[in-house]
């Protein structure tokens, strides 16, 4: 039974990153699943800001040394399972997260699996097949509800990071929350926060993204290109007090600093966007101390948040179709990444092998 759909060839088409802005479409061996592993035939892989960064610089310090396959937001169909896989069989529609924790280290035992010292990452979503390692199979390979398409389901990973960001920031109903940065991550925050009954102020630069934020339910949109964005946000809050929570989803010095100026006394900032390494930012110590500002940052996700993200998509709290602005073939990945680098207005593109 299990052997029914086994692939009969030994090479597949995959995008291989060779260096800075150098992606080649090649034939490489199809990985074979060993004990506990699952081979997935990829049906959709989504582009992501991290992939763009990797493409621009030609590597990723923690996980991608060229020449290497890359891409990490994927959904597909189980093609083949290795020995000792009980929960999956060929033909099942699945989504995989891009990592799984060890469950043994100090951080895992502290319920901080996102900070696991030995997070096992998977890369290689821009290909016909991907082998899911045993640890990810056990913890972060989920079966799709029939109602979800592969592209929609592939949004699970970045959404899980967003859900964890909201949870850790302690946002409650009725709060006024500013989201700075309206790329796919910022727009996911907007959608998810609106499903919670918060007032959302969306601040961004590009007209199409401001329009999308408004369509997605943001109560106010603030164009940060023209006027003083901190003043604009304060003017939108009662008594110019500032927002209860500010989420920074850009990852540059200027917006990290803006976030601190927008929050109310006793409020919380989540510095969600990662700045380039080596970035240092001055702090107004008087503001931080006498206004009791909480500064948080959240990174990555845990298996629980991956499950919650799939459920949030199923329930329509976040609508992937509003964030996936195109579909392209695997062969055009290079030109897609170039277009995204040039900020052509696309959000995420679904790459269909
Ligand atoms: Zn991603
Ligand atoms: Zn661990």
């Amino acid at each position: 039974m299990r052997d029914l759909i086994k692939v009969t060839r030994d090479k597949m088409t995959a995008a291989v990153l060779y260096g800075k802005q150098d992606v080649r479409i090649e034939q490489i061996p199809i990985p074979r699943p060993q004990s506990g592993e699952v081979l997935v035939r990829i049906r959709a892989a989504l582009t992501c800001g991290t992939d763009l960064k990797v493409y621009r610089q030609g590597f990723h310090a923690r996980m991608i040394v060229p020449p290497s396959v890359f891409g990490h937001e994927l959904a597909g169909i189980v093609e083949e399972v290795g020995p000792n896989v009980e929960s999956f069989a060929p033909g099942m529609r699945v989504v995989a997260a891009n990592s799984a924790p060890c469950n043994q280290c100090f951080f895992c035992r502290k319920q901080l699996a996102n900070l696991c010292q030995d997070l096992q990452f998977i890369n290689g979503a821009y290909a016909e097949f991907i082998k899911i390692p045993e640890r990810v199979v056990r913890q972060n390979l989920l079966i799709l509800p029939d109602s979800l398409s592969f592209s929609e389901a592939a949004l699970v990973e970045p959404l899980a990071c967003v859900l964890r960001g909201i949870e850790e920031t302690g946002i409650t109903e009725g709060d006024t929350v500013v989201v700075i940065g309206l790329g796919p991550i910022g727009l996911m925050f907007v959608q998810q926060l609106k499903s919670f009954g918060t007032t959302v102020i969306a601040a961004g630069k590009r007209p199409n993204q401001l329009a999308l934020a408004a369509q997605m339910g943001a109560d106010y949109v603030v164009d940060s290109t023209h006027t003083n964005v901190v003043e604009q946000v304060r003017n939108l809050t009662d008594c110019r007090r500032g927002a209860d929570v500010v989420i920074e989803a850009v990852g540059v010095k200027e917006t990290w600093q803006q976030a601190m100026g927008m929050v109310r006394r006793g409020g919380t900032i989540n510095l969600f966007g990662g700045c380039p390494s080596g970035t240092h930012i001055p702090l107004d110590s008087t503001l931080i101390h006498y206004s009791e500002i909480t500064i948080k940052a959240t990174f990555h996700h845990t298996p629980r948040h991956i499950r919650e993200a799939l459920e949030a998509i199923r329930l329509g709290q976040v609508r992937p179709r509003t964030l996936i602005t195109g579909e392209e073939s695997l062969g055009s990945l290079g030109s897609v990444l170039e277009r995204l680098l040039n900020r052509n207005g696309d959000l995420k593109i679904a790459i269909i092998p």
Side-chain angles (χ1 to χ4, degrees), residues 46-51 72-73 98 154 157-158 161 185 348:
L46 301 183
T47 60
C48 157
T50 306
D51 298 339
H72 62 274
E73 299 178 9
N98 64 333
E157 187 272 326
C161 302
I185 291 281
K348 288 174 99 66

Side-chain angles (χ1 to χ4, degrees), residues 100-109 112-119 135:
C102 75
N103 291 322
Q104 284 166 14
C105 73
F106 173 85
F107 299 97
C108 283
R109 284 185 276 116
L112 292 168
N114 57 307
L115 299 179
C116 173
Q117 277 172 312
D118 184 27
L119 263 188
R135 202 200 273 177

Side-chain angles (χ1 to χ4, degrees), residues 61-72:
R62 280 181 75 181
M63 53 194 186
I64 295 168
V65 182
S68 171
V69 291
F70 69 123
H72 62 274

Side-chain angles (χ1 to χ4, degrees), residues 142-199:
L142 306 182
I143 295 170
L144 299 192
D146 292 338
S147 59
L148 292 188
S149 70
F150 296 107
S151 307
E152 290 173 305
L155 197 71
V156 153
E157 187 272 326
L159 180 58
C161 302
V162 165
L163 295 187
R164 189 172 172 282
I166 291 174
E167 181 181 296
E168 288 288 312
T169 315
I171 294 164
T172 51
E173 205 181 323
D175 278 350
T176 295
V177 183
V178 182
V179 177
I180 308 175
L182 303 174
I185 291 281
L187 291 171
M188 272 187 264
F189 270 112
V190 170
Q191 292 190 12
Q192 189 68 31
L193 286 166
K194 282 315 295 176
S195 79
F196 277 26
T198 58
T199 298

Side-chain angles (χ1 to χ4, degrees), residues 307-325:
R307 284 157 179 77
E308 289 177 7
L310 187 59
E311 185 63 4
I313 295 171
R314 194 184 66 79
L315 294 173
Q317 290 171 354
V318 166
R319 300 173 300 283
R321 285 170 202 277
T322 60
L323 300 162
I324 300 168
T325 49

